[in-house]
């Protein structure tokens, strides 16, 4: 279907249009409205997703008010992913495993269920990698994206994960929080990030997951891992979605490995959110086209 045909299918916004929301602070740079509205348009759904930036103190009032006013579902982004948890009625597996929520589904009875579709996003990144046994992995970073990646790696069958972080205490806190809980049976090790620790742990690993912002636009020439440490059989999942491919993904592919970028991750988490909200299998290609078109215009 051409873009013009798709535009014709988009219903006008009326009083009947269902409204979804994203909460973030700031929210102006969030990409979820772009991909979700593209999915609504492609599916001919009479729905729109718009951004709100409540103050931290006003988060619960904003949540209760929007739900009372008939909001159809929410996306939650930084800094509210953990703060929203106690305000919800129940948590899905992914939210329980991470203690963080990026998607709120609203039941017919008004009950609020929190999910973390970043976990599903990383799992779908695994599906894009060659099928082979992977025991050891290295993850760079110990922030919000890292939590989701830990839960997903455990589900994907990784048995040993070294978490390398600039601030070692933060990696240790993540291990303490997730070992035996959200990380399941996966063994976790917290390591301070250095040239030596990186080389040592990567030598044993079959997978590298980058959850640091290193390599993100406008510093797309940077990489968290020197090309000399990359090799065949060291596949890469990179959270960074701009540029696409990142230098890390490019270097990994040049070394003969497979690499999946943050574009796949961000689309996959949105696909799963739409399933929770509307029960639809959204048009992933339309979501991807909206995202990559938008990002390429801004390069
Ligand atoms: P975060 O909570 O702020 O955590 C960032 C982590 O990266 C921290 O562990 C931090 O280490 C480390 N870090 C930051 N700058 C670094 C540097 N220059 N060198 C080495 N380590 C550094 O952020 P987040 O929410 O996890 O997000 C991380 C990145 O992933 C962001 O760029 C975000 O856009 C991206 N992301 C993408 C997706 C997707 O769908 N593709 C989803 C989530 C996040 P310290 O502890 O030492 O500060």
């Amino acid at each position: 279907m051409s873009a013009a045909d798709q535009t014709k299918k988009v219903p006008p916004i009326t009083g009947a249009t269902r409204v979804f929301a994203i909460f973030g602070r700031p929210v102006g740079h969030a990409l979820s409205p772009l991909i979700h509205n593209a999915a609504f348009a492609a599916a001919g759904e009479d729905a729109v997703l718009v951004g709100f930036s409540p103050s931290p103190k006003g988060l619960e009032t904003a949540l209760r008010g929007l739900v009372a006013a008939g909001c159809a579902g929410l996306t939650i982004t930084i800094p509210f992913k953990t703060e929203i948890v106690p305000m919800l009625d129940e948590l899905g597996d992914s939210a329980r495993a991470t203690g963080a929520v990026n998607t709120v589904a609203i039941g017919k009875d008004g009950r609020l269920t929190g999910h973390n579709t970043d976990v599903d996003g990383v799992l779908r990144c695994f599906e894009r990698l060659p099928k082979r046994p992977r025991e050891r992995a290295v993850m760079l970073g110990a922030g919000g994206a890292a939590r989701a990646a830990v839960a997903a790696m455990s589900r994907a069958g990784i048995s040993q994960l070294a978490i390398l972080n600039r601030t070692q205490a933060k990696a240790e806190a993540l291990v303490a929080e997730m070992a035996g809980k959200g990380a399941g049976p996966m063994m976790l090790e917290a390591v301070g990030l250095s040239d030596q620790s990186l080389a040592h742990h990567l030598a044993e690993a079959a997978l590298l997951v980058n959850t640091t912002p290193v390599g993100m636009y406008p510093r797309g020439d940077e990489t968290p891992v020197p090309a000399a440490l990359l090799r065949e059989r060291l596949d890469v999942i990179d959270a960074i979605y701009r540029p696409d491919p990142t230098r890390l993904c490019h270097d990994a592919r040049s070394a003969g490995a497979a690499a999946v970028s943050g574009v796949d991750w961000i689309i996959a988490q949105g696909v799963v959110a739409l399933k929770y909200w509307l029960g639809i299998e959204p048009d992933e290609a339309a979501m991807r086209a909206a995202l990559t078109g938008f990002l390429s215009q801004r390069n």
Side-chain angles (χ1 to χ4, degrees):
M1 185 186 291
S2 73
D5 287 340
Q6 283 207 351
T7 311
K8 272 186 230 151
K9 266 183 69 183
V10 179
I13 290 176
T14 68
T17 302
R18 278 182 296 174
V19 178
F20 292 79
I22 175 168
F23 281 0
R25 195 170 178 88
V27 78
H29 295 95
L31 297 169
S32 291
L34 199 71
I35 60 173
H36 288 311
N37 288 321
F40 293 146
E45 288 284 342
D46 187 5
V48 65
L49 186 140
V50 289
F52 292 92
S53 193
S55 68
K57 275 190 179 166
L59 178 63
E60 181 151 16
T61 308
L63 175 70
R64 305 276 174 235
L66 268 189
V67 172
C71 177
L74 294 104
T75 284
I76 309 297
T77 190
I78 294 165
F80 300 129
K81 287 184 184 187
T82 49
E83 282 73 2
I84 199 102
V85 167
M87 301 168 196
L88 306 177
D89 298 304
E90 55 194 319
L91 299 179
D93 287 348
S94 57
R96 271 200 303 277
T98 53
V101 160
N102 75 341
T103 299
V104 178
I106 305 172
K108 287 203 173 71
D109 53 1
R111 283 179 71 77
L112 306 181
T113 305
H115 302 281
N116 189 325
T117 69
D118 275 329
V119 177
D120 310 279
V122 179
L123 272 172
R124 286 175 70 120
C125 291
F126 270 91
E127 289 166 18
R128 291 181 169 257
L129 295 175
K131 301 267 166 293
R132 52 181 165 232
R134 292 185 185 86
E135 286 188 7
R136 288 172 186 255
V138 168
M139 180 175 73
L140 306 179
R147 284 177 181 216
V150 169
M153 277 190 266
S154 168
R155 289 172 193 203
I158 299 290
S159 52
Q160 290 190 47
L161 174 66
I163 302 174
L164 274 61
N165 197 47
R166 189 175 58 178
T167 309
Q168 186 172 347
K170 235 171 118 182
E172 284 165 0
L174 185 63
V175 169
E177 188 189 319
M178 296 196 76
K181 294 172 248 167
M186 186 168 68
M187 306 259 292
L188 301 178
E189 184 184 359
V191 182
L193 177 63
S194 68
D195 293 348
Q196 291 77 11
S197 65
L198 192 57
H200 172 72
H201 286 276
L202 285 179
E204 302 279 314
L207 178 73
L208 164 66
V209 178
N210 175 42
T211 70
T212 76
V214 179
M216 181 71 103
Y217 175 89
R219 297 185 165 177
D221 57 332
E222 293 183 1
T223 178
V225 177
L229 295 182
L230 300 171
R231 56 180 158 78
E232 201 187 348
R233 303 274 163 157
L234 176 58
D235 295 328
V236 168
I237 296 175
D238 194 350
I240 301 307
Y241 48 79
R242 186 180 181 207
D244 183 30
T246 56
R247 185 169 158 200
L248 175 61
C249 287
H250 172 270
D251 290 348
R253 289 172 190 151
S254 301
V260 180
S261 81
V263 168
D264 293 292
W265 178 339
I266 202 168
I267 297 292
Q269 59 81 28
V271 165
V272 179
L274 283 151
K275 285 187 194 165
Y276 283 128
W277 289 335
L278 297 171
I280 61 167
E281 186 70 50
D283 182 341
E284 211 169 303
M287 296 164 78
R288 184 178 297 269
L291 178 64
T292 53
F294 178 80
L295 294 178
S296 66
Q297 274 170 23
R298 295 164 62 100
N299 275 345

